[in-house]
Amino acid sequence: MRALPYLLRGLLLALLMTFLLVPQTMEPLLRPLAQSNAPVIYNQGSLLSLTVQHLLTVLAATSAATVVAVSLAILVSRPAGAEFLPLSRSLVNIGQTFPPVAVLALAVPVVGFGEKPTLIALFLYGLLPIFESTLTSLTTLPRAVVEAARGTGMTGAQRLLQIELPLALPVILSGIRLSVVISLATATIGSTVAARTLGEVIIAGLQSNNLAFVVQGGLIVGALAVLIYDGLSALERLTVARS
């Protein structure tokens, strides 16, 4: 029974790769969702290319959000930076209080159409879960461990890099995992401002009243979210076992 989840994930990955590499193989399954004489498989671009670009956009935005959020959390978890905690929380909450569509609308006049406004929206939207998980993990470390490291003569930087961050890593990864999954879904709206994402497939389906396009775009994003969530969860468990 323990092997069943792995078999299901392997099957999902195999189906996803088959669809991206040879999408015509799935045409019989999607045919009932398309109108007569309408194309069943998205034909205005490569599904594989759009998927890769979608993932690269999410990776870039999440990487930037991770650097900023973790750095802020480290700063405010130190005695010298504790007074900046309210300000930091206000900053990282901006992405959650402003809908991504509103961020896109504000960003386009400044940076133009394309990938840049999407990156800004995803960056802002991904800050909060990473910041809060990092801050929580750094402020709830076993005090005895931190004091023991201090007692050995470690500097503040050494304690942070060699003790605190390694111990906090599993919780930090949980925040990154949440941020990635949110960004995978949110990135689809980037196609409304000419970004190359899987939102193109969904929008094309809505414009042509082709449910097959909408379903295949949504299924690809959903499959990616499940697989990446599981992959990061496995990485998180591995760091727990090593810590």
Side-chain angles (χ1 to χ4, degrees):
M1 292 297 291
R2 290 183 179 180
L4 183 58
Y6 297 101
L7 291 174
L8 292 176
R9 291 165 192 155
L11 178 60
L12 178 60
L13 178 59
L15 288 173
L16 176 62
M17 294 307 300
T18 299
F19 184 53
L20 293 178
L21 295 172
V22 195
Q24 291 76 17
T25 57
M26 301 297 177
E27 184 171 346
L29 295 175
L30 295 170
R31 168 58 66 186
L33 301 176
Q35 296 180 354
S36 300
N37 301 320
V40 177
I41 303 299
Y42 181 69
N43 58 356
Q44 299 173 29
S46 166
L47 287 173
L48 179 60
S49 176
L50 285 175
T51 300
V52 171
Q53 187 59 53
H54 190 103
L55 289 173
L56 289 176
T57 299
V58 170
L59 175 61
T62 304
S63 298
T66 299
V67 171
V68 173
V70 171
S71 299
L72 275 177
I74 291 173
L75 172 65
V76 300
S77 67
R78 309 298 98 177
E83 61 182 296
F84 297 106
L85 177 57
L87 175 60
S88 298
R89 275 217 164 97
S90 297
L91 290 175
V92 299
N93 271 292
I94 290 176
Q96 299 292 325
T97 54
F98 271 87
V101 174
V103 176
L104 290 178
L106 293 171
V108 166
V110 179
V111 299
F113 287 88
E115 188 178 13
K116 290 181 181 179
T118 306
L119 287 171
I120 293 172
L122 296 182
F123 167 77
L124 292 175
Y125 216 55
L127 285 172
L128 182 60
I130 302 174
F131 174 81
E132 290 294 347
S133 64
T134 304
L135 182 61
T136 299
S137 61
L138 289 175
T139 54
T140 57
L141 292 174
R143 190 167 185 82
V145 175
V146 178
E147 290 299 327
R150 183 181 287 110
T152 61
M154 282 186 171
T155 65
Q158 288 174 328
R159 291 196 303 273
L160 175 66
L161 296 176
Q162 298 178 31
I163 304 297
E164 296 181 48
L165 285 179
L167 289 175
L169 186 57
V171 181
I172 296 173
L173 284 175
S174 70
I176 295 174
R177 169 165 47 89
L178 179 58
S179 180
V180 168
V181 172
I182 292 173
S183 294
L184 278 169
T186 307
T188 56
I189 67 170
S191 293
T192 61
V193 292
R196 295 281 293 169
T197 73
L198 288 165
E200 283 189 21
V201 185
I202 298 172
I203 292 173
L206 294 173
Q207 290 177 336
S208 60
N209 196 27
N210 189 334
L211 186 58
F213 283 6
V214 177
V215 169
Q216 62 195 268
L219 286 178
I220 293 173
V221 173
L224 289 173
V226 170
L227 292 170
I228 292 175
Y229 182 93
D230 282 348
L232 291 175
S233 294
L235 180 60
E236 186 182 333
R237 290 192 296 272
L238 181 61
T239 58
V240 170
R242 289 185 174 180
S243 61

